[in-house]
């Protein structure tokens, strides 16, 4: 089914419906029963919900990895400590979904926020194992772009719906920082042509990082919707250049999903333009995008049938092979190692560039939280901090084995064979692209309480301080890969403070040597201000002005990539 289906990424938040359907069937059968005798219930038993969020709570005392509760269609579920929740483009710790103890879900109560939860009932308690949250999980919209405002980056579809890219780091156009949890994917081309080529919204009519000239026109001056970029070695000044994104234009047909916001604008986390943009065969940069990636969980129980591990990707270069790999994570250090699953090549006939990976009965265990796709020729730096040539994708669909002996006891979801749940996944990195890095390392450990019985043996890690000082070893991968991101070097370009009418405004401009970094600024003084995300400027520098009542003494700039913080007196 997955190969035939053209659904964009958000709709992958549907797991297979088998178990839910069977439960519905069971209810139907039971409702016809007149006997007062009851079937023996058993525990643990699985539960798989796709439903509306009625409420969420946070155990605020448990720190940055605390759990809480989630109520879905009336069922109250315990969210264990160490739960990481997968959102449309990022994965966050449970507390990241709250602000001042309240759920940070825009318009909660007036629009449908939905959760997909796989868990087990253990000693009568519903405990979650895997949690996915989004607004209107089935939302998928289409239409023609009828206007684009270059000043704001807002655009209209079919003259009816006002949209903005939810792009907190400004990768694909203007920054939009109001709802960073529901952002586009800032690291992989998530705003893209159907083929995976990254596209952008110009910040003005001569935006050098999104020039209108980066799309060819026909003899009437109309933009082409099918074209191939030249080899970068042959690019002429001002001509088509695959190292720069392609601009979105009025008239483009797009397929998109987003969240409704209190400002009335739809903030998009995914946008696919129906454009057949390719890169010259065998050249770099070439781009990849992923349509779906499902991981089959293996159980030898003969009452169960195992689902297939499979994926669908799209490549702008159909002549170069693309490796699909699982990303195993060390539970203590968080160090990642790649495990090759399949190498395949894009289709040479329509749909050109589509790659269907099927593992059949092959056991791809253990399941990983994320998988990656990379051209065998390796990666290259892409535009505005995007890595060209690879795509890292969270698994939206772990296929738990399906019961094939009807009437046999339902088998609990096998979270014990999923290492990132049973063992943990190393130091927590906050998913919110605008969150300041944690001051002290916190290790993501085993889910607690454990959604199953028995509880697997937990991992014993050295204290976190020892973990951060270990030197990372290189990834054991046979294929060329990009090196692990090095810590960056932060420079304060200027820092000054100015007093006016009892308010002091402190302005800092800073830069990082790594274009993928997000910088943060904190103030020490009469009023301390915690690390706050700075705004990236067109020239790559970051700036921010913060007003305080009291006089500041110094500013400190930190980076999401972990470079040494820089402090300067003001
Ligand atoms: C674009 O948005 C700006 C800011 O809201 C507004 O002033 C301007 O009129 C808009 N331009 C067009 C063509 O609508
Ligand atoms: C257009 O936008 C780019 C990127 O933000 C900026 O560098 C450039 O100065 C702008 N040009 C004009 C004419 O405003």
């Amino acid at each position: 089914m997955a190969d035939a289906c053209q659904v964009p990424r958000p709709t992958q938040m549907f797991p297979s419906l088998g178990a839910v359907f069977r439960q519905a069937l069971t209810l139907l059968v039971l409702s016809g029963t007149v006997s007062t005798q009851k079937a023996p219930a058993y525990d643990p038993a699985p539960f798989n919900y796709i439903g509306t969020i009625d409420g969420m709570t946070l155990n605020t005392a448990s720190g940055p990895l605390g759990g809480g509760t989630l109520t879905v269609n009336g069922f109250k579920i315990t969210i264990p400590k160490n739960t990481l929740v997968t959102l449309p483009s990022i994965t966050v710790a449970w507390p990241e979904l709250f602000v001042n103890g309240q759920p940070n879900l825009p318009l909660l109560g007036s629009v449908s926020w939905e959760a997909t939860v796989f868990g087990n009932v253990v000693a009568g308690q519903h405990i979650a194992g895997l949690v996915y949250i989004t607004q209107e999980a089935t939302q998928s919209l289409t239409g023609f772009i009828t206007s684009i405002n270059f000043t704001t980056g807002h655009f209209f579809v079919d003259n009816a719906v006002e949209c903005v890219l939810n792009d907190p780091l400004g990768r694909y156009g203007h920054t939009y920082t109001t709802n960073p949890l529901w952002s586009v994917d800032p690291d992989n081309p998530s705003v893209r042509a159907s083929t995976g080529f990254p596209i952008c919204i110009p910040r003005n009519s001569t935006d050098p990082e999104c020039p209108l000239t980066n799309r060819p026109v026909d003899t009437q001056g109309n933009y082409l919707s099918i074209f191939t970029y030249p080899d970068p070695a042959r690019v002429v000044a001002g001509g088509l250049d695959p190292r720069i994104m392609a601009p979105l234009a009025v008239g483009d047909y797009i397929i998109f999903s987003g969240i409704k916001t209190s400002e009335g604008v739809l903030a998009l986390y995914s946008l696919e333009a129906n454009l057949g943009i390719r890169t010259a065969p065998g050249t770099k940069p070439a781009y990849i995008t992923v349509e779906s990636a499902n991981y089959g969980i293996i159980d030898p129980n003969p009452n169960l049938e195992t689902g297939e591990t499979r994926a669908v990707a799209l490549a702008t270069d159909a002549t170069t092979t693309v490796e699909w790999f699982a990303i195993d994570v060390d539970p203590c250090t968080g160090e990642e190692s790649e495990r090759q699953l399949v190498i395949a090549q894009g289709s040479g006939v329509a749909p050109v560039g589509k790659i269907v990976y099927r593992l059949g009965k092959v056991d791809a265990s253990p399941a990983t939280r994320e998988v990656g796709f990379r051209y065998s020729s390796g990666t290259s730096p892409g535009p505005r901090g995007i890595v060209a040539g690879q795509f890292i994708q969270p698994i939206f669909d772990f296929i738990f084995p399906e019961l094939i002996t009807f009437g046999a006891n339902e088998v609990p979801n096998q979270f014990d064979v999923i290492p990132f749940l049973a063992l943990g996944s190393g130091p927590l990195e906050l998913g919110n692209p605008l969150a300041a890095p944690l001051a002290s390392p916190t290790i993501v450990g085993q889910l607690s309480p454990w959604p199953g019985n028995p509880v697997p043996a937990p991992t014993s890690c050295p204290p976190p301080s020892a973990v951060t000082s270990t030197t990372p070893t290189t990834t054991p991968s046979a294929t060329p890969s990009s090196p692990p991101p090095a810590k960056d070097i932060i420079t304060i370009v200027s820092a000054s403070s100015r007093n006016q009418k009892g308010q002091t405004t402190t302005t800092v401009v800073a830069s990082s040597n790594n274009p993928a970094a997000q910088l943060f600024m904190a103030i020490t003084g009469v009023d301390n201000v915690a690390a706050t995300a700075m705004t990236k400027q067109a020239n790559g520098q970051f700036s921010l002005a913060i007003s305080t009542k009291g006089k500041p003494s110094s500013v400190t700039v930190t980076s999401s990539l972990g470079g040494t913080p820089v402090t300067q007196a003001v």
Side-chain angles (χ1 to χ4, degrees), residues 37 53 71 75-76 83 86 97 109 127 144 151 154 173 224 228 242 279 292 304 306 312 331 347 419 437-438 494 528:
Q37 288 174 311
I53 295 176
T71 306
F75 291 103
K76 189 164 189 178
T83 293
T86 302
L97 293 164
I127 309 174
F144 292 97
T151 312
H154 290 208
L224 301 181
T228 301
T279 49
S292 64
L304 298 175
T306 297
V312 178
S347 167
L438 290 173
S494 66
N528 292 332

Side-chain angles (χ1 to χ4, degrees), residues 2-38:
D3 353 355
C5 125
Q6 284 281 352
V7 288
R9 196 171 159 181
T11 41
Q12 291 164 32
M13 296 194 79
F14 273 127
S16 42
L17 284 165
V20 173
F21 181 68
R22 286 197 312 276
Q23 283 163 9
L25 214 59
T26 312
L27 281 177
L28 270 179
V29 171
L30 288 179
S31 61
T33 313
V34 288
S35 166
T36 53
Q37 288 174 311
K38 54 181 186 173

Side-chain angles (χ1 to χ4, degrees), residues 379-469:
T379 61
S380 60
R384 288 187 72 86
I386 286 177
V387 179
Q390 77 173 21
F391 199 104
I392 306 297
Q393 162 97 350
I395 297 289
F396 284 99
D397 196 355
F398 292 96
I399 310 170
F400 288 94
E402 187 157 347
L403 196 65
I404 50 173
T405 306
F406 298 124
N409 283 1
E410 294 281 355
V411 176
N413 286 317
Q414 298 88 339
F415 301 121
D416 51 319
V417 300
I418 304 181
F420 64 86
L421 300 177
L423 303 175
S425 51
L428 171 64
E429 283 171 28
L430 296 178
N432 181 341
L434 298 183
L438 290 173
S440 55
T442 309
I443 302 289
V444 182
Q446 182 183 84
L447 295 184
S448 172
W450 177 251
N453 185 11
V455 179
T459 316
S460 161
C461 292
S465 54
V467 170
T468 49
S469 63

Side-chain angles (χ1 to χ4, degrees), residues 203-204 206-208 538:
R203 297 155 191 88
N204 55 54
T206 57
D207 185 346

